[in-house]
DNA sequence: AATAGAAGCGGACCATGGTCCGTTTAACCG
DNA sequence: CGGTTAAACGGACCATGGTCCGCTTCTATT
């Protein structure tokens, strides 16, 4: 599976890669994590994931995570900087998995379908993912809501698909504009506050896509 | 100035209105705030606004606001429920003012311009407002980012303008979709992280609007 | 004006995110 | 293997959001 970004945990995962960096200082990276640090990171992530599953996101306090992982509280902060960082790391797992599906999974989300089909599948899938992880995304705050890496991957893929469809215009903005209504806060508003069924939201998005992609503006 | 919504402070602002409620129990509302409570509310809002102006949003702690207003901390929480609530109340002032400009201010934002001109002005103005209050919006969290009242006013006005332009389709969703890229988080990403100049973002939005409004889908 | 009762008040108290620093330990080197 | 060093560790400590409850003040009523 291709990885487009990684958190600190995943930088330089093997010794051999580090050797490469020794030889190619232009790719200098922070040296690999010490083994105890890596072990603690895994233990903390596992403990946090379990706490989320068993008692919900709100039950994930830094103290409880530390206790569950059998380490001190300071260690949690050293590894993840903040509670938001911990949540973002948790999110990152499924985000990476989803990126893999987009890049090399089965169509229509993955390659093999037409660009327009992929575009629709992309939007629907993103909505589902964002709603599914709503609590976590919220708890991740700035780090999760629009973590640069995640937004940047989605925007890149969106630009790619729009390019395939020969859409003319400021693809940078159009990608952002099509992505914006897929954000968790917007979806929660629509599906929970306004009580609009998800499939109607999806149909609305499909229509928006059609308007953007089939606009006369695209024809010279 | 027309007010489309109000926080608790502004419900039943006069005695005479309360008498009306005595006669029309169908419009029952919580009774007017006690005079000391109202005084404290104003003092707290003023103190908070001043703290924001002088030392930034981060300096606004509940203790400091309480101290600056000369009341106990419990009072701050009774009036505004939470820090986010206090921030939302602060935001609400300028939001109300902005709503007034949209409804009865000078064109092209207010009435008097064509619907399409008003739509563009609306988007540009919203972007500016959202960027200007970015810190406050963030500090208001759920209460400010998409406070139902604010979103609902903007969406309503957007639907109205789209209706004037004889746009066909799910106006409910289209309004949301055009509003979504105006959200603070999206704008901050574009203008600060991606370093895109605001006028390019505005131009992109104008293009998006054109695609939506001028889509062939609208012609039967 | 007296009174009753609801509403408001204040600040002690609690929970939790986040920092700091003296101690421990893994990793590398001679 | 022993020494050196930078990194990691742990938990005491701090700041701040949020709760609670006994006391005070306002307002409506008589």
């Amino acid at each position: 599976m291709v990885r487009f970004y990684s958190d600190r945990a995943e930088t330089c995962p093997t010794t051999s890669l580090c050797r490469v960096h020794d030889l190619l200082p232009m790719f200098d990276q922070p040296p690999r994590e010490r083994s105890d640090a890596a072990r603690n990171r895994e233990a903390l992530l596992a403990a946090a994931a379990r706490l989320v599953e068993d008692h919900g996101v709100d039950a994930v306090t830094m103290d409880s995570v530390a206790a569950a992982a059998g380490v001190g509280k300071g260690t949690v902060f050293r590894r993840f900087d903040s509670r938001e960082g911990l949540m973002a790391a948790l999110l990152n797992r499924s985000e990476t998995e989803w990126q893999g599906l987009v890049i090399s999974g089965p169509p229509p989300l993955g390659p093999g379908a037409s660009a327009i089909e992929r575009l629709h599948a992309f939007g629907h899938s993103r909505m589902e993912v964002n709603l599914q992880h709503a609590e976590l995304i919220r708890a991740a705050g700035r780090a999760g809501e629009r973590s640069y890496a995640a937004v940047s991957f989605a925007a890149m893929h969106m630009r790619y698909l729009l390019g395939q469809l020969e859409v003319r215009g400021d693809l940078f903005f159009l990608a952002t504009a099509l992505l914006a209504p897929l954000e968790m806060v917007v979806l929660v508003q629509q599906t929970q506050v306004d009580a609009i069924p998800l499939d109607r939201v999806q149909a609305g998005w499909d229509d928006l896509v059609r308007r953007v992609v089939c606009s006369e503006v695209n024809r010279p």
Side-chain angles (χ1 to χ4, degrees), chain A residues 112-169:
Chain A
S114 72
I116 188 72
E117 282 174 320
R118 288 191 77 186
L119 184 47
H120 288 295
F122 179 87
H124 294 189
S125 174
R126 191 96 199 129
M127 288 193 202
E128 282 150 19
V129 165
N130 279 342
L131 279 176
Q132 193 169 358
H133 298 146
E135 273 196 308
L136 219 43
I137 293 174
R138 181 155 279 142
R142 298 183 79 146
E145 212 163 87
R146 293 185 69 72
S147 95
Y148 186 67
V151 168
S152 136
F153 168 79
M156 194 195 65
H157 188 66
M158 184 75 90
R159 286 198 301 276
Y160 164 74
L161 292 176
L162 293 178
Q164 293 276 304
L165 291 164
E166 298 185 356
V167 172
R168 313 283 155 184

Side-chain angles (χ1 to χ4, degrees), chain A residues 50-119:
Chain A
R50 175 164 194 120
L51 277 173
V52 169
E53 202 169 320
D54 290 356
H55 303 99
V57 171
D58 288 345
V60 182
T61 69
M62 298 307 258
D63 286 285
S64 66
V65 170
V71 304
K73 185 173 162 180
T75 303
V76 193
F77 280 93
R78 176 183 328 287
R79 284 283 85 76
F80 301 103
D81 294 330
S82 64
R83 186 182 134 97
E84 296 192 352
L86 173 59
M87 298 303 187
L90 237 33
L91 264 180
N92 195 23
R93 293 178 152 190
S94 44
E95 179 69 17
T96 305
E97 195 179 333
W98 183 78
Q99 288 180 16
L101 288 177
V102 171
I103 293 161
S104 58
L109 185 57
S114 72
I116 188 72
E117 282 174 320
R118 288 191 77 186
L119 184 47

Side-chain angles (χ1 to χ4, degrees), chain A residues 3-31:
Chain A
R3 284 191 155 156
F4 272 65
Y5 67 97
S6 54
D7 65 16
R8 282 192 300 171
E10 289 147 1
T11 56
C12 193
T14 69
T15 301
S16 60
L17 266 177
C18 284
R19 295 270 181 261
V20 167
H21 295 144
D22 292 346
L23 302 173
L24 295 176
M26 60 190 297
F27 293 144
D28 230 13
Q29 289 194 2

